[in-house]
């Protein structure tokens, strides 16, 4: 089971947000956003998992927290399919554990930034659980060419919030847009949001994410 950090915005949370960090970060990376989501009408529990530590090819084989290996700077090519699927199973195990702990799948939001967002999109389109929502930030849909044959269809009506910085030098803006179009063409309920920033998350973006989550 993945280790994780857990925080709540209030008692008796109605939603659970599982938020996956990006390459080289850890669960603490998005922990500071929790106060932004405090709302008197809806308490939320956040879980921030730590990705496994493993070698990353584009970083000279240096070991770091990573959801999967990245073999070249053009991240849309040569995907680490085995690593992506392994992380998918780890995230699914975490979802299953939270369901056993008392949450319903329909109360769970799967979120992620960069590499974490890629795993969120991959997992949400394959899982047999109907989720409350999906938030995918500054990322892309990995192994997109296998979506039609592998998608479960359980989350076709689940709201997806896709966001990207228009000046992103790490995950190309065009790759994010093409992933949005692929999900839309496959019948998913996706919304697209772009912001004038590089590879990161802005306060305006967090406010939009908050509005999205509180409507679920």
């Amino acid at each position: 089971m993945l280790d994780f950090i857990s925080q709540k915005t209030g008692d008796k949370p109605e939603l659970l947000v599982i938020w996956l960090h990006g390459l080289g970060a850890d669960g603490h990376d998005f922990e500071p956003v929790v106060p932004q989501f405090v709302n008197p009408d809806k308490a939320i529990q956040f879980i921030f998992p730590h990705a496994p530590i493993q070698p990353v090819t584009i970083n000279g084989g240096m070991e770091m927290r990573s959801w999967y290996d990245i073999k070249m700077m053009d991240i849309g090519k040569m995907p680490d399919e085995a690593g992506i699927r392994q992380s998918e199973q780890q995230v699914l195990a975490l979802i299953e554990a939270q369901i056993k702990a008392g949450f319903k799948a329909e109360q769970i939001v799967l979120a992620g930034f960069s590499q974490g967002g890629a795993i969120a999109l991959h997992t949400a389109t394959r899982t047999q659980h109907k989720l409350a929502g999906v938030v995918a930030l500054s990322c892309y849909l990995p192994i997109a060419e296998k979506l039609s044959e592998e998608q479960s269809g359980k989350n076709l009506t689940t709201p997806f919030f896709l966001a990207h910085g228009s000046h992103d030098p790490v995950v190309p803006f065009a790759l994010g847009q093409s992933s949005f179009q692929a999900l839309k063409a496959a019948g998913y309920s996706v919304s697209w949001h772009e912001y004038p920033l590089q590879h990161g998350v802005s306060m305006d973006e967090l406010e939009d994410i908050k509005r999205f989550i509180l409507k679920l």
Side-chain angles (χ1 to χ4, degrees), residues 119-213:
I119 292 298
L121 288 178
H122 176 84
T123 303
T125 52
R126 270 78 174 178
T127 182
Q128 293 297 320
H129 293 297
K130 175 72 168 67
L131 303 172
V134 179
V135 176
L137 313 173
S138 304
C139 65
Y140 62 102
L141 178 66
I143 326 177
E145 67 279 4
K146 294 187 178 181
L147 176 62
S148 61
E149 64 187 80
E150 294 182 355
Q151 63 179 342
S152 70
K154 290 289 184 178
N155 288 296
L156 285 172
T157 59
T158 297
F160 280 60
F161 180 104
L162 270 64
H164 217 105
S166 55
H167 310 304
D168 193 331
V170 178
V171 179
F173 184 73
L175 184 57
Q177 284 185 313
S178 65
S179 296
F180 162 71
Q181 293 295 342
L183 289 166
K184 188 176 179 181
Y188 288 89
S189 179
V190 289
S191 60
W192 175 257
H193 310 262
E194 55 189 74
Y195 304 88
L197 70 156
Q198 296 189 357
H199 196 63
V201 178
S202 68
M203 289 302 298
D204 286 344
E205 188 172 353
L206 280 176
E207 282 298 316
D208 290 342
I209 295 167
K210 178 181 178 179
R211 280 191 286 270
F212 171 80
I213 289 177

Side-chain angles (χ1 to χ4, degrees), residues 12-212:
K12 299 180 180 178
E14 298 177 39
L15 285 176
L16 170 66
V17 179
I18 298 175
W19 197 314
L20 310 178
H21 63 77
L23 175 66
D26 60 21
H28 293 285
D29 199 31
F30 282 93
E31 193 178 5
V33 309
V34 173
Q36 301 289 330
F37 290 83
V38 173
N39 183 278
D41 298 322
K42 184 177 286 189
I44 303 170
Q45 180 171 340
F46 286 84
I47 282 181
F48 301 102
H50 303 297
I53 297 173
Q54 55 188 317
V56 176
T57 301
I58 62 165
N59 288 339
M62 185 183 301
E63 292 192 347
M64 61 187 64
R65 292 200 180 275
S66 174
W67 297 108
Y68 53 91
D69 190 23
I70 298 179
K71 296 181 174 65
M72 56 192 300
M73 293 304 294
D74 188 347
I75 59 175
K77 296 181 179 178
M78 293 180 65
D80 173 19
E81 190 167 329
I84 291 166
R85 296 190 189 281
Q86 182 176 1
S87 285
E88 174 194 358
Q89 293 307 310
Q90 290 175 315
V91 172
L92 286 174
L94 184 56
I95 290 172
E96 293 283 356
Q98 296 308 309
I99 291 172
K100 287 180 181 178
F103 280 100
K104 297 177 181 178
E106 294 87 354
Q107 293 176 291
I108 298 175
V109 178
L110 188 55
F113 171 77
S114 195
Q115 217 188 38
I119 292 298
L121 288 178
H122 176 84
T123 303
T125 52
R126 270 78 174 178
T127 182
Q128 293 297 320
H129 293 297
K130 175 72 168 67
L131 303 172
V134 179
V135 176
L137 313 173
S138 304
C139 65
Y140 62 102
L141 178 66
I143 326 177
E145 67 279 4
K146 294 187 178 181
L147 176 62
S148 61
E149 64 187 80
E150 294 182 355
Q151 63 179 342
S152 70
K154 290 289 184 178
N155 288 296
L156 285 172
T157 59
T158 297
F160 280 60
F161 180 104
L162 270 64
H164 217 105
S166 55
H167 310 304
D168 193 331
V170 178
V171 179
F173 184 73
L175 184 57
Q177 284 185 313
S178 65
S179 296
F180 162 71
Q181 293 295 342
L183 289 166
K184 188 176 179 181
Y188 288 89
S189 179
V190 289
S191 60
W192 175 257
H193 310 262
E194 55 189 74
Y195 304 88
L197 70 156
Q198 296 189 357
H199 196 63
V201 178
S202 68
M203 289 302 298
D204 286 344
E205 188 172 353
L206 280 176
E207 282 298 316
D208 290 342
I209 295 167
K210 178 181 178 179
R211 280 191 286 270
F212 171 80

